[in-house]
Amino acid sequence: MTSQPSSAVNIASAEPRLDWMGSPAGPASARRWQRGYARRLVVTDLTVIAGVLTVVHLLALPEAPVVTTAVLGVLWIAALSVSRSRDWRHIGADVTEYRRVLVATLTSFGLLFTALVALDLAVTREHLIWSLPIGTIAVLMARWLWRRMLHAQWRRGKWTHRAVVVGNPRKVRHVVSAVRGSKTVTGTTVTAIHEVQGDHTGADVETRERVVAQIVDVVTRSAADLVLLTETDLFSAQGVRELGWALDALDVNLVVVPSITETAGSRITSNMVAGVPLLHVAYPRLTGTARLTKRTFDVVFSALALLMLAPLLITIALWVRLDSPGPVLFRQERVGINHSRFSMLKFRSMVVDAEEHLSLLEERSEGNGVLFKMRRDPRVTRIGAVLRRLSLDELPQFYNVLRGEMSVVGPRPPLPREVEAYDDHTHRRLLVKPGITGLWQVAGRSDLSWEESVRLDLYYVENWTLLGDIQIVLRTARAVFGGAGAY
């Protein structure tokens, strides 16, 4: 079988640039900032843990043996190291770092108190009462502060991984788009693209060596420290091993990007069968316990929100009534779970006959082709403009949540005419209840394209978790006060 030659394209920077320390960027530079960051985390962990344990010992355990506190501190630090809570692959991204900190903390306390009970020694419960919660919060807060600093460096283009993306053109473009869109979350900058043309699975030794040499040449010229291989099917198993050996000699990391996209890590498990890695993908199921958990969260959160926001709701109602003639609340038919219809509530932000004027304004729409949006809609009232910018007009929807028609977090509630234009895949947005907020809310709101809005909604439907809902609620507050995409 004859293989077409590979080609390197779109080299972002063939000449090594200087990193924040004034050294050439590349593998050595990446290792330098990774090791430096890890050392800072070690010093911070030591300082926080020593400080918390010392204060607790002096205030709550003045007569207890100092050795118990010292052993707890040593176990804690050791557990944080053994759990690899400072691994470069997890710092600054997702919740893995925080989860490992929690596991290490609970493990160290568990080991200490198991040993004290087994040896029939006096158990200092004060450590459980004070050191465990205070220390855990303090360590997590310190990690969070370091993460904010790291993200700030990434936004400045510092302390980043320089990556070469390797694969066929279609998958390369997809990966490059994803990486560049989340550079401040992953800390990765694409410096070069190496497109591999043809199938090299049956290539001879000479062709295989030539392909590996081309990739190594691109990596060297772009001073990269990371290679993202988007498709292992282009190479034989031996070819992937040889590429790994060549990159290892350069101290460059190899990351294989699977074809599974838009799938949360919680749905993926892996195991090895005869040396072959298998990825198991669980189908999304928002039923049983998961549905009960989400409904419980919705009821508790919306009830507390309505109770705590009652003074604000009354004030807004008075403003709306005094600002323009008409009812305080605006009711509009929307499509809910499984194509059910319901009346969605909002504080009225437009004149009473706004719907009658819609046809006259549709050609001036600034929306995404499906949704009608105008930055300066003449139908919006004075108080309505303020309510829309801060999303306060949507607060009555907590009542829809209590009634079971909506959820606190979910896809955007569509109009019936929008649903009529859905394709087969887009109808999957209706497998869950629509939400007051969602990924579309925290990712740009009205500034998003229709395709991007659908993609975010489908991702939410496929990958729901309670922790994800809580994170979206927290991010919503920042998005709302920022006002981006709200009009």
Side-chain angles (χ1 to χ4, degrees), residues 200-392:
H200 294 266
T201 53
D204 55 27
V205 175
E206 182 179 351
T207 302
R208 209 166 54 229
E209 290 178 348
R210 185 176 70 251
V211 172
V212 171
Q214 290 172 345
I215 296 174
V216 169
D217 179 61
V218 175
V219 170
T220 303
R221 288 190 292 118
S222 60
D225 62 278
L226 186 66
V227 170
L228 301 179
L229 184 61
T230 67
E231 197 168 22
T232 56
D233 290 343
L234 291 171
F235 305 94
S236 62
Q238 181 62 25
V240 175
R241 283 197 296 270
E242 291 176 359
L243 176 61
W245 297 336
L247 296 177
D248 181 50
L250 297 174
D251 200 19
V252 173
N253 292 298
L254 174 63
V255 175
V256 176
V257 182
S259 298
I260 302 172
T261 58
E262 304 298 330
T263 303
S266 59
R267 290 175 52 204
I268 301 175
T269 56
S270 63
N271 66 311
M272 300 289 293
V273 176
V276 178
L278 301 179
L279 297 179
H280 297 264
V281 182
Y283 293 116
R285 292 285 188 271
L286 189 54
T287 58
T289 303
R291 175 166 293 182
L292 178 60
T293 300
K294 184 170 178 59
R295 180 59 183 157
T296 301
F297 174 77
D298 286 342
V299 171
V300 173
F301 189 93
S302 56
L304 290 175
L306 288 173
L307 182 63
M308 297 175 63
L309 297 174
L312 176 61
L313 294 174
I314 295 173
T315 303
I316 293 176
L318 292 174
W319 283 346
V320 172
R321 194 58 181 268
L322 295 174
D323 183 57
S324 63
V328 170
L329 294 178
F330 172 69
R331 301 173 185 271
Q332 189 175 49
E333 186 181 45
R334 296 291 178 116
V335 181
I337 184 171
N338 296 325
H339 293 81
S340 61
R341 302 291 181 93
F342 70 97
S343 180
M344 190 183 74
L345 301 176
K346 300 178 71 173
F347 280 122
R348 184 174 57 83
S349 60
M350 292 185 173
V351 294
V352 176
D353 56 351
E355 291 294 313
E356 299 176 8
H357 299 290
L358 178 60
S359 59
L360 301 176
L361 299 172
E362 284 184 337
E363 62 181 18
R364 297 165 56 187
S365 174
E366 301 174 57
N368 51 32
V370 177
L371 306 179
F372 176 83
K373 290 289 183 179
M374 287 185 65
R375 294 184 183 275
R376 289 178 173 81
D377 195 323
R379 301 172 299 164
V380 177
T381 62
R382 289 174 300 175
I383 186 62
V386 177
L387 296 180
R388 283 174 165 242
R389 183 183 182 280
L390 298 176
S391 296
L392 296 176

Side-chain angles (χ1 to χ4, degrees), residues 25 45 51 57 69 96 119 132 142 153 156 159 196 199 288 295 300 305 320 336 345 347 358 368 372 418 421 481:
D45 291 342
H57 184 86
T69 301
T96 302
L119 298 174
L132 178 58
Q153 294 293 335
R156 299 186 185 100
W159 294 10
V196 179
D199 185 351
R295 180 59 183 157
V300 173
V320 172
L345 301 176
F347 280 122
L358 178 60
N368 51 32
F372 176 83
E418 296 170 10
F481 288 113

Side-chain angles (χ1 to χ4, degrees), residues 427-450:
H427 280 282
R428 292 186 63 83
R429 299 171 81 231
L430 305 177
L431 291 177
V432 299
K433 295 176 183 177
I436 299 176
T437 185
L439 285 175
W440 51 272
Q441 175 85 331
V442 300
R445 296 194 265 185
S446 298
D447 290 336
L448 295 174
S449 67
W450 171 248

Side-chain angles (χ1 to χ4, degrees), residues 62-260:
E63 299 179 0
V66 177
V67 66
T68 302
T69 301
V71 169
L72 176 58
V74 172
L75 283 174
W76 201 344
I77 292 296
L80 288 172
S81 298
V82 172
S83 66
R84 300 173 68 186
S85 67
R86 309 178 190 100
D87 192 300
W88 69 269
R89 285 176 284 266
H90 303 298
I91 57 175
D94 65 46
V95 298
T96 302
E97 179 185 0
Y98 298 138
R99 183 168 60 245
R100 292 186 175 185
V101 168
L102 286 173
V103 170
T105 299
L106 295 175
T107 300
S108 57
F109 275 83
L111 288 174
L112 175 66
F113 284 89
T114 299
L116 291 177
V117 172
L119 298 174
D120 197 23
L121 300 175
V123 178
T124 51
R125 294 181 178 84
E126 284 78 2
H127 274 308
L128 283 177
I129 298 173
W130 298 105
S131 299
L132 178 58
I134 296 176
T136 301
I137 293 173
V139 173
L140 289 175
M141 181 60 70
R143 292 297 185 96
W144 179 77
L145 291 173
W146 271 114
R147 179 173 290 199
R148 286 183 62 85
M149 187 278 294
L150 182 61
H151 286 184
Q153 294 293 335
W154 287 348
R155 285 192 293 272
R156 299 186 185 100
K158 303 175 181 178
W159 294 10
T160 61
H161 298 286
R162 292 170 59 84
V164 172
V165 184
V166 178
N168 68 43
R170 180 178 57 83
K171 287 195 174 182
V172 162
R173 286 193 294 270
H174 177 74
V175 172
V176 169
S177 176
V179 171
R180 286 177 174 168
S182 60
K183 181 173 64 175
T184 59
V185 178
T186 62
T188 301
T189 302
V190 176
T191 61
I193 297 171
H194 187 75
E195 295 180 353
V196 179
Q197 308 289 345
D199 185 351
H200 294 266
T201 53
D204 55 27
V205 175
E206 182 179 351
T207 302
R208 209 166 54 229
E209 290 178 348
R210 185 176 70 251
V211 172
V212 171
Q214 290 172 345
I215 296 174
V216 169
D217 179 61
V218 175
V219 170
T220 303
R221 288 190 292 118
S222 60
D225 62 278
L226 186 66
V227 170
L228 301 179
L229 184 61
T230 67
E231 197 168 22
T232 56
D233 290 343
L234 291 171
F235 305 94
S236 62
Q238 181 62 25
V240 175
R241 283 197 296 270
E242 291 176 359
L243 176 61
W245 297 336
L247 296 177
D248 181 50
L250 297 174
D251 200 19
V252 173
N253 292 298
L254 174 63
V255 175
V256 176
V257 182
S259 298
I260 302 172

